[in-house]
Amino acid sequence: DAEITQSPRHKITETGRQVTLACHQTWNHNNMFWYRQDLGHGLRLIHYSYGVQDTNKGEVSDGYSVSRSNTEDLPLTLESAASSQTSVYFCASSETRLAEFFGPGTRLTVL
Amino acid sequence: AQSVSQHNHHVILSEAASLELGCNYSYGGTVNLFWYVQYPGQHLQLLLKYFSGDPLVKGIKGFEAEFIKSKFSFNLRKPSVQWSDTAEYFCAVNAASTGRRALTFGSGTRLQVQP
């Protein structure tokens, strides 16, 4: 069955370190998204991509970057991790231009 | 900027009770509307969505939602809840006519169903 996987599922890192969260989907969807989930804020869009070599900033993109070199993967990089980036991160993909299928999430703690 | 309000942060019901969760949004143009569910320890799953057409939308697991444009609302309903419906529910809106690609999520409603 097609699916979205995220790795790692849990990560603890230190302030200032570079961190990359992986997202892999086998739906063959062109559209992929990264959201973060924080208490009291629901989910907020970080970055999104509508196809290979296409990336776009979402509403909370500062301190994050993505790259899209193939259809299946959209890794999210925190260039210099900050405590404010402690959160649960969800990757999603869709046939339409809106997130519909979510991955299991990565819980990131920045100390 | 558009916003999404979910009025009830925590709802407690007994099994077989009827459910209605409120969702209101602030954008006045064309919208796409979604309800997601997140079971404890799991990822978000799409319950139902509205893009156009019949404003009464039926989703999975017996859920439905009604889009009332004049009230800027998209309330989620289920006639008889089960213990397994215990989860957090998120409403999400996309302002389609702005060209923005993001979903704006509400802060969620935690539903607890008591056996």
Side-chain angles (χ1 to χ4, degrees):
Chain A
D1 287 344
E3 61 178 356
I4 301 178
T5 56
Q6 293 183 233
S7 61
R9 295 295 310 281
H10 301 271
K11 174 78 175 177
I12 300 174
T13 191
E14 296 177 342
T15 301
R17 290 191 180 267
Q18 183 180 79
V19 176
T20 297
L21 309 183
C23 173
H24 179 81
Q25 54 100 359
T26 58
W27 292 95
N28 201 33
H29 288 160
N30 283 322
N31 312 310
M32 296 184 72
F33 309 82
W34 275 104
Y35 285 82
R36 60 178 288 175
Q37 184 180 28
D38 304 287
L39 279 175
H41 289 280
L43 286 90
R44 292 178 290 175
L45 183 68
I46 305 171
H47 281 285
Y48 57 98
S49 168
Y50 290 140
V52 176
Q53 303 302 331
D54 176 73
T55 61
N56 305 279
K57 293 182 178 181
E59 58 184 307
V60 290
S61 60
D62 288 348
Y64 303 94
S65 64
V66 293
S67 60
R68 188 86 181 272
S69 59
N70 58 54
T71 300
E72 296 80 17
D73 299 290
L74 187 69
L76 177 72
T77 297
L78 287 68
E79 303 294 344
S80 177
S83 57
S84 60
Q85 294 176 308
T86 292
S87 186
V88 180
Y89 291 85
F90 287 98
C91 180
S93 73
S94 177
E95 292 179 341
T96 61
R97 292 196 166 196
L98 298 166
E100 292 187 14
F101 297 96
F102 282 80
T106 293
R107 185 175 296 277
L108 177 67
T109 302
V110 182
L111 300 176
Chain B
Q2 63 181 356
S3 63
V4 179
S5 298
Q6 293 185 239
H7 317 295
N8 308 105
H9 297 293
H10 191 191
V11 173
I12 302 174
L13 295 173
S14 298
E15 276 193 312
S18 64
L19 170 71
E20 181 161 4
L21 301 182
C23 173
N24 285 88
Y25 60 93
S26 62
Y27 183 67
T30 302
V31 291
N32 299 314
L33 300 159
F34 304 78
W35 274 99
Y36 288 88
V37 60
Q38 187 175 29
Y39 297 102
Q42 297 189 25
H43 60 284
L44 280 83
Q45 299 176 39
L46 181 67
L47 271 180
L48 48 80
K49 61 185 177 183
Y50 172 81
F51 281 7
S52 64
D54 188 345
L56 184 61
V57 180
K58 296 199 182 294
I60 62 171
K61 303 177 189 287
F63 287 91
E64 66 178 29
E66 185 175 14
F67 170 47
I68 303 179
K69 188 175 181 179
S70 61
K71 295 185 177 180
F72 300 91
S73 70
F74 190 56
N75 292 355
L76 182 71
R77 300 194 294 247
K78 186 172 184 179
S80 176
V81 296
Q82 301 172 319
W83 177 79
S84 57
D85 293 324
T86 294
E88 190 152 18
Y89 293 81
F90 293 93
C91 179
V93 176
N94 168 256
S97 52
T98 65
R100 289 186 71 242
R101 310 301 186 179
L103 286 178
T104 300
F105 281 83
S107 56
T109 296
R110 186 173 299 277
L111 173 65
Q112 184 178 346
V113 180
Q114 296 177 332

